[in-house]
Amino acid sequence: MSFDHYMSDIRTRFAPSPTGYLHVGGARTALFNWLLARQLGGKFVLRVEDTDQERNTEAARKAIFDGLQWLGMDWDEGPDCGGEYGPYNQSERGAIYDRWFAHLQEKGRVYEDDGAWRFRFERKLMTMHDLICGEVSIDYREESNTPDMVVKRSDGSYVFHFVNVVDDLEMKISHVIRGEDHLMNTPKHLQLFEAFDVKPPIYAHIPLILNQDGSKMSKRDAGAAVGEYEQAGYLSGAVVNFLALLGWSPKNEDEIYSPAELIKAFSLEGVNRSPAKFDTEKCAWVNQQHLAPLSPEAFAKASETQFEQLPENYQAMAGSVQEKVRLLSEVPAAIQFYHDKEFPYAPEALEKVAKNAAAPALLNTLAEAWGTLTDWSEAKGEIKAAAVKHEAKPGQLMFPLRVALSGKAGGPDLGDILQILGQEESIRRIQRYLAL
């Protein structure tokens, strides 16, 4: 189905219920709607389904709004910014629902049943065309399988199916992009649109998100809460990038996109039919790809949030580990050896150095040579000279030196470590190691 007819008036929406935090599944739904609206010059609407007064909380509402804002998904209309088709909280739209319910009463499409009101389905074959799932049919001719649905409860409140359709038609939503778990609801909604004599929106049901073991991702699973990503040291742009790849495949082999690039590249035609598997390792890798091109200044600034108090010379320390970390939350541990003069030695690193019988003599020679240097920028060059004196290869000295300076088997470039530690501290650390 072509978008051409709707190109001049694209309107998408995200309609969360404020009963819990923003789930990655909800965030991905919001993202796909946002990307389509931004790409086609349309409007992205935030509508809050807050009719469940017993379960709604202000904390959940704030978490959803904060999560969307952190991800950079700005909305054009919503509870906080208004718009032409408000109010945008369902709890404030009772009079609108009453008016459309009266319309169904006038047409004889609803009837009372034990205090509740049911919508009378037309007994016919309903076929819908979904932009992702293709043609889907439900046979309403068999009443035993498709009983008339309740649209108004005995307490006077309206059910999801009714208010969802009314809101979409009132707000002139052109495209409904939502999870595949709503697919079987859509024929019910189409029957309501027909009863209201209103053209329905175009539907696109996106695949579910599964855990690595194939189970459906729930709110209790690791990585489910969007709010945790900022705390864990992810960049918002990286999370947006990762969410987009959950079920959507670009036309090329590229995997790393900025939000602006996603807007240009995204298409519903590229959304897969099969479920998407959530991979925390892939998410961390995507984040690393977004961290790598940052300037040293920008990287240091972004990682400042991981510290209560910044160590002296922090920017240089952070810059030295920029290519070594996947998450900003890894920065404190990665640079701890710089400012912790009594840092521990990794046991496996010590064991490896112990197998190198020449290591103590090599380190001692290097420390003596460093002690006579008047230009510390030449320190790294002395490593090769010290090795040559013992008829050894530089590699035989570089690993023991790394362990002596940092306690680790891996980490920043040795040149960076030497410049940050300085002459006196570098020599002291070799002597500390030799005294073990």
Side-chain angles (χ1 to χ4, degrees):
M1 184 177 293
S2 172
F3 290 136
D4 295 348
H5 180 68
Y6 292 89
M7 285 291 285
S8 62
D9 194 19
I10 297 291
R11 291 179 60 81
T12 66
R13 49 78 165 174
F14 178 54
S17 177
T19 56
Y21 56 76
L22 181 60
H23 185 273
V24 293
R28 184 193 60 168
T29 297
L31 176 61
F32 284 12
N33 280 280
W34 180 80
L35 287 172
L36 186 67
R38 291 291 172 263
Q39 184 184 77
L40 300 178
K43 300 289 187 183
F44 175 58
V45 179
L46 178 61
R47 185 174 79 215
V48 181
E49 296 185 348
D50 63 344
T51 53
D52 189 345
Q53 295 300 321
E54 291 185 2
R55 297 177 62 217
N56 292 341
T57 68
E58 189 57 37
R61 183 187 183 94
K62 185 177 186 301
I64 291 170
F65 279 51
D66 288 350
L68 291 174
Q69 289 171 340
W70 180 69
L71 291 169
M73 284 185 254
D74 54 325
W75 49 93
D76 303 293
E77 301 172 24
D80 57 339
C81 59
E84 189 177 350
Y85 303 104
Y88 294 90
N89 293 311
Q90 280 188 344
S91 59
E92 301 173 29
R93 298 175 61 82
I96 297 172
Y97 303 141
D98 289 341
R99 175 161 48 84
W100 284 99
F101 180 75
H103 183 70
L104 293 180
Q105 286 181 304
E106 292 169 8
K107 296 186 67 175
R109 294 298 299 273
V110 290
Y111 60 93
E112 196 170 2
D113 179 21
D114 290 333
W117 287 83
R118 290 184 178 272
F119 173 70
R120 184 177 281 111
F121 285 127
E122 277 196 33
R123 295 301 162 182
K124 62 181 182 179
L125 181 68
M126 291 291 297
T127 299
M128 59 168 285
H129 183 86
D130 187 271
L131 288 177
I132 296 168
C133 301
E135 285 196 351
V136 179
S137 296
I138 291 187
D139 193 347
Y140 282 89
R141 292 172 295 190
E142 182 52 64
E143 191 170 348
S144 61
N145 293 332
T146 55
D148 292 339
M149 70 174 171
V150 171
V151 291
K152 190 176 185 179
R153 302 182 186 91
S154 57
D155 64 2
S157 62
Y158 295 101
V159 302
F160 160 79
H161 301 294
F162 179 79
V163 297
N164 188 272
V165 166
V166 169
D167 288 344
D168 282 346
L169 70 87
E170 279 273 335
M171 295 179 184
K172 302 188 184 303
I173 300 302
S174 67
H175 293 76
V176 172
I177 305 171
R178 59 189 180 188
E180 196 178 62
D181 50 336
H182 284 290
L183 183 62
M184 289 299 102
N185 292 331
T186 304
K188 301 175 185 178
H189 298 176
L190 291 176
Q191 285 241 14
L192 280 169
F193 278 110
E194 285 185 2
F196 291 140
D197 298 314
V198 176
K199 187 174 183 178
I202 295 175
Y203 287 92
H205 289 85
I206 57 182
L208 299 177
I209 298 177
L210 305 179
N211 292 309
Q212 283 295 299
D213 62 5
S215 61
K216 182 180 177 182
M217 193 175 194
S218 73
K219 291 186 175 182
R220 295 178 297 277
D221 291 322
V226 169
E228 295 176 358
Y229 286 81
E230 184 176 10
Q231 298 173 4
Y234 285 85
L235 297 178
S236 60
V239 177
V240 166
N241 186 166
F242 175 71
L243 290 176
L245 297 176
L246 287 175
W248 170 72
S249 298
K251 293 180 180 179
N252 54 35
E253 297 299 316
D254 295 341
E255 291 189 286
I256 304 305
Y257 292 85
S258 68
E261 291 167 337
L262 279 175
I263 290 172
K264 290 182 180 179
F266 180 77
S267 72
L268 288 175
E269 288 83 358
V271 177
N272 305 318
R273 181 69 179 84
S274 56
K277 284 196 174 182
F278 186 90
D279 186 345
T280 53
E281 288 298 308
K282 177 66 173 290
C283 189
W285 176 82
V286 170
N287 194 69
Q288 187 177 38
Q289 305 313 301
H290 280 258
L291 288 176
L294 294 179
S295 68
E297 295 79 14
F299 178 81
K301 187 67 178 176
S303 56
E304 283 182 3
T305 57
Q306 305 298 316
F307 295 84
E308 291 184 8
Q309 185 174 355
L310 294 178
E312 188 178 344
N313 201 18
Y314 172 68
Q315 185 169 306
M317 292 179 183
S320 74
V321 300
Q322 183 171 351
E323 296 182 359
K324 305 295 181 180
V325 300
R326 299 187 303 172
L327 309 176
L328 295 174
S329 56
E330 296 171 358
V331 175
I335 69 167
Q336 184 179 1
F337 75 91
Y338 281 125
H339 52 87
D340 179 5
K341 293 191 174 184
E342 299 303 315
F343 59 85
Y345 298 94
E348 64 276 11
L350 289 177
E351 289 175 12
K352 187 174 179 180
V353 176
K355 296 176 182 178
N356 181 358
L362 286 166
L363 287 170
N364 190 59
T365 297
L366 180 63
E368 290 177 354
W370 277 354
T372 63
L373 278 180
T374 56
D375 183 356
W376 185 239
S377 66
E378 298 175 0
K380 195 172 182 181
E382 289 296 324
I383 297 174
K384 182 178 181 180
V388 168
K389 283 186 179 180
H390 290 267
E391 298 183 346
K393 295 179 180 179
Q396 289 179 267
L397 173 54
M398 292 180 78
F399 184 78
L401 176 60
R402 176 176 293 281
V403 176
L405 295 178
S406 69
K408 301 178 181 181
D413 180 83
L414 272 175
D416 290 337
I417 294 177
L418 294 175
Q419 292 308 309
I420 291 170
L421 292 179
Q423 185 171 12
E424 183 179 339
E425 178 63 13
S426 296
I427 294 172
R428 186 196 72 82
R429 292 189 178 201
I430 289 179
Q431 293 171 339
R432 176 188 178 225
Y433 175 81
L434 292 174
L436 287 177

